[in-house]
Amino acid sequence: MGQMRRGALGDGGAVVNRTEPSVEFTTMGKKNIVIGCAVTAAVLVGGLAALGVWGVKSMEKEVKKADISPSVYESVNVGDSEADVLGKLPARDSWVTLGLEDQGPKPPEGATCRYFTSDEGDDSDTFTVFRFCFREGKLVAKDTFEGR
């Protein structure tokens, strides 16, 4: 009881050919692959664009930390207190000015110097550098020279 009787060979219903997937299955698989590739490409392009925007904004911030106007340079005098001069300059140094200490005139003995670039630059290979050197709380030298 409850057992199926044996039938003739081939009476078992439709035979599924496992070596050839149905047309619907192959079409759906190809569509999913195309959609997956398109989504991945869109995410990569969007990520690269966001990284580019972040890089440009970071570079602008660094350049702003390195730039001062010539009027700021002219507004300070040798002998002014270091605190007064630093109050007119950007708070932190920028990596944009790294290497400028190897250019220009030799700094005064025992002085600590800060370097800035002019915000009135052009598109040439050289630019104006402003250097402020301090010793014992006073501005002991201010120089301007062409940097590369």
Side-chain angles (χ1 to χ4, degrees), residues 66-131:
D67 280 352
I68 62 170
S69 70
S71 63
V72 171
Y73 176 78
E74 295 299 328
S75 72
V76 300
N77 298 303
V78 173
D80 288 351
S81 76
E82 184 173 359
D84 289 343
V85 175
L86 292 179
K88 297 178 181 182
L89 302 175
R92 292 182 282 152
D93 290 332
S94 170
W95 59 264
V96 174
T97 59
L98 290 176
L100 292 178
E101 61 273 358
D102 299 332
Q103 301 178 32
K106 184 177 177 184
E109 190 71 33
T112 303
C113 301
R114 292 194 60 202
Y115 297 82
F116 299 93
T117 55
S118 175
D119 63 0
E120 294 181 355
D122 55 16
D123 292 333
S124 66
D125 291 338
T126 61
F127 49 90
T128 302
V129 177
F130 300 121
R131 179 176 72 184

Side-chain angles (χ1 to χ4, degrees), residues 19-34:
T19 60
E20 294 181 31
S22 68
V23 174
E24 293 87 14
F25 179 74
T26 57
T27 304
M28 188 60 129
K30 288 178 184 176
K31 285 181 184 176
N32 285 342
I33 290 172
V34 169

Side-chain angles (χ1 to χ4, degrees), residues 82 85-86 110-112 114 132-136 138-140:
E82 184 173 359
V85 175
L86 292 179
T112 303
R114 292 194 60 202
F132 301 91
C133 298
F134 304 96
R135 183 175 51 227
E136 298 175 5
K138 296 282 183 192
L139 180 66
V140 293

